[in-house]
């Protein structure tokens, strides 16, 4: 049996998430489980959704804030993302924008109380593939997740470009204004991450985690040293710099204004 109809507590909204089991599939149906990332800060809501999805054979990872959600969404492979818009640390809209900016093409569904037309448009323009407003019927959520999981994968970008700087991701080759720039392995990783987040400030901590897989501060100038070398290679000899230091915040790569 599935979970009984459930009403969340402690919110200023009236909602009832109705659940009813779906009819069994045809004999011999052996659908593959869907791996889902659920980013929801309300524990009762997350427990309810995760329980229902697992009862239908799906695999669920959970995060209760936007920052952890982005880390998982960009670092693990999922079939579908289910994301609330109102999240601590990083809101759902920023999470999806950042994930798309990093090259993540996993289908994403916003599950939120923000149901206005402008809210829906904003969510879809941020990179979401679907939008479901609370209160919702669990059967509809399940159907939408299944539909997203059946979509053919979107071809990932094979190159990145900021102004006249180009990064061929397949050949791992970098050119600026047609001139080849030779970079070391770590410099390539830093540049790729910066270019995927072009126009956004990337912090020292983000680079330590994404480039060196450090989840602590090594108390060295390893980031600063590599940034200095990278800047010398991609900016020296060109009229306008692309790589900038944002004092007290981090680094950003952007096209000249």
């Amino acid at each position: 049996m599935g979970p009984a109809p459930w009403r969340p507590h402690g919110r200023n909204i009236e909602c009832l998430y109705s659940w009813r089991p779906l009819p069994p599939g045809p004999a011999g149906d052996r659908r593959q489980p869907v791996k889902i990332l659920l980013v929801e800060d309300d524990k009762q809501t997350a427990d309810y959704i995760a329980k229902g999805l697992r009862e239908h054979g799906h695999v669920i990872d959970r995060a209760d804030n936007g920052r952890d959600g982005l880390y998982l969404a960009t670092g693990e492979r999922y079939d579908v993302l289910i994301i609330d818009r109102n999240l601590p640390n990083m809101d759902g809209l920023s999470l999806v924008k950042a994930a798309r900016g990093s090259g993540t093409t996993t289908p994403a569904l916003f599950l939120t109380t923000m149901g206005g037309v402008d809210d829906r448009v904003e969510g879809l323009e941020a990179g979401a593939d679907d939008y479901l407003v609370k209160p919702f019927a669990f059967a509809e959520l399940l159907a939408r997740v299944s539909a997203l999981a059946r979509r053919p994968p979107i071809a990932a970008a094979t190159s990145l470009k900021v102004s006249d700087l180009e990064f061929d991701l397949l050949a791992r080759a970098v050119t600026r204004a047609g001139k080849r720039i030779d970079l070391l392995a770590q410099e390539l990783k830093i540049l790729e991450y910066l270019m995927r987040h072009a126009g956004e400030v990337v912090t020292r901590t983000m680079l330590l985690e994404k480039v060196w897989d450090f989840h602590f501060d090594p108390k060295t100038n390893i980031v600063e040293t590599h940034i200095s070398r990278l800047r010398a290679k991609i900016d020296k000899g060109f009229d306008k710099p692309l790589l900038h230091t944002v004092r007290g915040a981090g680094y950003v790569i952007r096209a000249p204004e």
Side-chain angles (χ1 to χ4, degrees):
M1 292 188 57
W6 171 85
R7 184 186 299 275
H9 301 286
R11 292 202 169 201
N12 295 323
I13 57 172
E14 287 293 325
C15 59
L16 178 66
Y17 298 95
S18 61
W19 188 98
R20 63 179 178 82
L22 294 184
D29 187 5
R30 293 291 184 270
R31 287 172 290 184
Q32 292 295 316
V34 176
K35 186 176 181 182
I36 301 165
L37 173 62
L38 172 62
V39 189
E40 168 65 65
D41 63 319
D42 184 88
K43 186 176 185 302
Q44 287 181 293
T45 303
D47 286 346
Y48 172 78
I49 294 171
K51 177 178 174 61
L53 291 173
R54 286 182 178 129
E55 287 180 350
H56 283 83
H58 301 316
V59 178
I60 313 298
D61 284 350
R62 290 168 53 172
D64 61 6
N65 66 84
R67 187 179 303 162
D68 290 346
L70 177 61
Y71 182 82
L72 289 171
T74 57
E76 300 288 337
R77 296 189 65 178
Y78 294 99
D79 298 305
V80 177
L81 310 176
I82 301 175
I83 302 170
D84 188 10
R85 282 193 56 168
N86 296 313
L87 295 168
N89 296 333
M90 173 185 284
D91 64 89
L93 207 65
S94 298
L95 190 166
V96 171
K97 286 181 178 178
R100 295 297 184 241
S102 71
T104 299
T105 59
T106 308
L109 178 145
F110 274 128
L111 184 62
T112 174
T113 59
M114 301 174 65
V117 173
D118 290 343
D119 295 321
R120 294 170 185 261
V121 170
E122 191 177 30
L124 295 171
E125 288 183 344
D129 301 88
D130 202 353
Y131 204 102
L132 182 59
V133 178
K134 302 173 183 176
F136 63 92
F138 184 82
E140 183 179 4
L141 172 63
L142 187 63
R144 290 181 182 234
V145 166
S146 297
L148 289 175
R150 288 195 301 267
R151 288 188 180 181
I154 300 172
T158 59
S159 66
L160 301 171
K161 183 177 174 65
V162 177
S163 187
D164 57 352
L165 180 68
E166 297 188 53
F167 192 143
D168 185 326
L169 297 172
L170 299 180
R172 306 301 290 174
V174 176
T175 59
R176 182 165 183 189
K179 178 183 177 182
R180 183 180 177 90
I181 299 173
D182 293 321
L183 299 178
L184 300 176
Q186 295 299 84
E187 294 167 348
L188 285 169
K189 288 182 180 180
I190 294 172
L191 182 61
E192 179 179 353
Y193 192 72
L194 288 168
M195 291 183 73
R196 287 189 184 278
H197 294 269
E200 303 174 17
V201 176
V202 173
T203 67
R204 183 175 185 273
T205 299
M206 292 166 70
L207 289 174
L208 284 171
E209 290 184 351
K210 293 297 184 180
V211 177
W212 285 274
D213 200 27
F214 288 168
H215 300 282
F216 61 93
D217 189 341
K219 305 298 182 183
T220 70
N221 63 348
I222 185 172
V223 173
E224 293 76 7
T225 298
H226 280 76
I227 286 288
S228 178
R229 291 174 180 169
L230 178 60
R231 179 182 283 117
K233 291 182 179 181
I234 68 172
D235 281 342
K236 187 176 181 180
F238 296 94
D239 292 338
K240 295 183 178 181
L242 301 177
L243 179 53
H244 305 271
T245 298
V246 181
R247 190 174 298 276
Y251 309 95
V252 60
I253 194 164
R254 59 172 177 256
E257 296 179 356

